[in-house]
């Protein structure tokens, strides 16, 4: 404006120079400024954004896949019922299962540990069973835990003069498995079929046979039904992929009002990955929400992923966003904020 009176040509050059200098700065700030502001808002709500690019990916999502245990259900199951084989001490079976479960981050494993702690606190026994000693422990994601139990007290009560059968003497190492029925009984004699209770179940086997089963009650997160309804209102498809028994997954899906063919149980980490890849090959953009070790591969392969609550470190490391609390409705809020953020980015540009 100053130069226009003296020399319009020079005034035009000054104006163009200002635009040339300032436009790249504004253009370079248009996207990160909006995304950083959105990330700061989410952080104040307890949602950590590990990848800013996830905002753009969230706006393209059309399918949301949930894990069940510890994600749609509360991370605080409790032992509801216990079955033991003839001659097996129920208290010692629970102690053995809890000692093995202590090596796992799985919500059902933590529930067994808490059940044993509660039982031992209220126990009236003068001489409690000594804790088992494990010489090796390995967790198979989505299936269970297996370990070698060092020589020690036998789970099966026998008269002192009766020799141990099937090589299960206290003086020998025993191979013990804790987990799903299919995993725990593999290569062993199953004295009975899996329990018909419509609950999450964990089974304990030693080298030869079934020892005990534990049914654990799961409490659906209070906001889960409203969260899934809100996601469907946003035009998103909702699915469940779980390693739990199909009957338990189907019961939960019915409570959430999900149609048939959208909830799948008995899924190994590989099965989950195959389901996800099938959705992607069909052209869907997928958000994966989970918390378990068996969710790691599918979280890494999804277009965008969220880790919920007390997720295992590997799951958090693979996730684009981490929901620090147990507010499942933050999934909806994050999706809505991502859409608003991209509108702001386009406005800035």
């Amino acid at each position: 404006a100053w130069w226009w009176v003296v020399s319009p040509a020079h005034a035009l050059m000054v104006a163009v120079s200002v635009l040339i200098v300032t436009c790249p700065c504004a253009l370079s700030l248009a996207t990160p400024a909006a995304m950083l502001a959105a990330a700061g808002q989410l952080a104040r709500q307890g949602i950590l954004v590990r990848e800013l690019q996830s905002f753009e990916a969230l706006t393209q999502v059309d399918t949301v896949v949930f894990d069940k245990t510890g994600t749609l259900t509360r991370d605080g199951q409790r032992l509801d019922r216990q079955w033991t084989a003839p001659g097996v001490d129920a208290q010692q079976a629970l102690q053995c299962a809890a000692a093995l479960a202590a090596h796992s981050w799985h919500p059902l494993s933590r529930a067994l540990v808490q059940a044993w702690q509660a039982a031992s606190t209220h126990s009236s026994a003068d001489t409690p069973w000594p804790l088992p000693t494990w010489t090796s422990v390995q967790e198979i994601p989505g299936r269970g835990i297996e370990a070698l139990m060092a020589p020690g007290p036998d789970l099966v009560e026998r008269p002192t003069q009766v020799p141990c059968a099937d090589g299960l003497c206290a003086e020998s190492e025993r191979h013990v498995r804790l987990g799903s029925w299919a995993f725990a009984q593999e290569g062993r004699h199953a004295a009975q079929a899996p329990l018909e209770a419509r609950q999450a179940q964990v089974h304990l086997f030693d080298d030869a046979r079934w020892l005990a089963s534990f049914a654990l009650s799961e409490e659906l997160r209070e906001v889960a039904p409203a969260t899934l309804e809100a996601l469907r209102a946003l035009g998103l498809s909702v699915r469940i992929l779980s390693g739990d028994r199909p009957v338990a997954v189907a019961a939960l899906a019915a409570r959430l009002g999900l149609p048939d063919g959208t909830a799948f149980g008995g899924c190994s980490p590989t099965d989950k990955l195959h389901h996800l890849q099938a959705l992607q090959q069909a052209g869907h953009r997928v958000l994966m929400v989970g918390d378990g070790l068996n969710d790691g591969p599918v979280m890494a392969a999804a277009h965008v992923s969220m880790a919920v609550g007390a997720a295992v470190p590997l799951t958090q490391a693979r996730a684009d966003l981490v929901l620090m609390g147990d507010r499942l409705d933050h999934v909806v809020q994050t999706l809505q904020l991502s859409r608003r953020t991209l509108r702001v980015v386009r406005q800035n540009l």
Side-chain angles (χ1 to χ4, degrees):
W2 172 267
W3 284 106
W4 186 258
V5 179
V6 179
S7 174
H10 186 64
L12 181 61
M13 291 301 296
V14 169
V16 170
S17 299
V18 171
L19 290 176
I20 289 174
V21 170
T22 58
C23 279
C25 298
L27 187 65
S28 64
L29 288 173
T31 298
M35 289 189 174
L36 285 172
Q41 181 176 340
L42 290 177
R44 287 189 292 273
Q45 298 175 1
I47 306 168
L48 303 184
V49 181
R50 300 185 65 253
E51 294 290 341
L52 287 178
Q53 293 82 356
S54 60
F55 283 112
E56 184 174 0
L58 284 171
T59 63
Q60 301 170 357
V61 164
D62 60 14
T63 303
V64 183
V65 177
F66 286 93
D67 175 46
K68 181 182 77 70
T69 305
T71 301
L72 290 173
T73 61
R74 288 188 178 277
D75 187 14
Q77 290 78 5
R78 66 180 184 276
L79 180 62
D80 192 40
R81 286 189 286 173
Q82 177 179 345
W83 294 261
T84 54
V88 175
D89 181 84
Q91 183 179 3
Q92 193 188 13
L94 175 59
Q95 180 183 2
C96 177
L100 192 53
H103 295 84
S104 171
W105 283 79
H106 196 278
L108 297 182
S109 296
R110 294 199 292 269
L112 285 177
V113 174
Q114 292 169 1
W116 165 246
Q117 291 173 342
S120 60
T121 300
H122 297 90
S123 175
S124 58
D126 295 330
T127 56
W129 296 97
L131 286 171
T133 302
W134 309 108
T135 57
S136 66
V137 180
Q138 180 181 10
E139 182 174 7
I140 294 85
R143 305 192 70 195
I145 311 171
E146 59 182 354
L148 286 175
M149 181 189 290
D154 204 324
L155 290 178
V156 181
E157 295 179 338
R158 299 186 178 92
T160 55
Q161 301 302 320
V162 178
C164 298
D166 303 322
L168 299 180
C169 299
E171 290 77 14
S172 62
E173 271 192 335
R174 281 167 291 173
H175 189 242
V176 182
R177 281 185 174 182
L178 178 74
S180 67
W181 181 267
F183 166 71
Q185 64 86 36
E186 185 177 359
R188 291 159 171 77
H189 173 65
Q192 65 180 60
L195 307 172
E196 293 301 325
R198 295 168 67 89
Q199 295 171 292
Q201 296 176 21
V202 179
H203 308 276
L204 180 68
F205 277 73
D206 66 5
D207 293 275
R209 66 186 184 115
W210 169 74
L211 296 173
S213 292
F214 310 91
L216 299 107
S217 61
E218 293 183 291
E219 185 179 351
L220 189 66
R221 292 185 188 271
E222 294 178 358
V223 298
T227 297
L228 268 60
E229 184 178 351
L231 290 174
R232 292 194 290 266
L234 291 175
L236 304 175
S237 173
V238 179
R239 294 173 179 263
I240 298 176
L241 296 179
S242 173
D244 201 357
R245 296 180 310 138
V247 63
V249 176
L252 183 77
R255 291 175 60 187
L256 292 171
L258 294 180
D260 294 338
T262 58
F264 303 90
C267 296
S268 66
T270 302
D271 295 332
K272 290 186 176 184
L273 185 58
H274 289 166
H275 275 287
L276 175 72
Q277 291 172 339
L279 289 170
Q280 292 174 329
Q281 291 171 3
H284 295 286
R285 309 286 292 185
V286 182
L287 163 63
M288 179 67 201
V289 184
D291 75 317
L293 182 63
N294 57 337
D295 297 323
V298 71
M299 302 258 305
H303 293 98
V304 61
S305 57
M306 293 185 184
V308 177
V312 299
L314 176 61
T315 306
Q316 291 186 353
R318 295 293 181 88
D320 299 305
L321 301 101
V322 179
L323 311 185
M324 300 304 295
D326 59 356
R327 293 287 303 277
L328 200 61
D329 53 343
H330 281 168
V331 176
V332 180
Q333 297 175 13
T334 303
L335 285 164
Q336 293 172 331
L337 181 60
S338 68
R339 295 181 178 185
R340 291 201 302 271
T341 301
L342 264 292
R343 285 198 296 269
V344 170
V345 168
R346 287 191 289 268
Q347 176 184 330
N348 289 349
L349 293 175

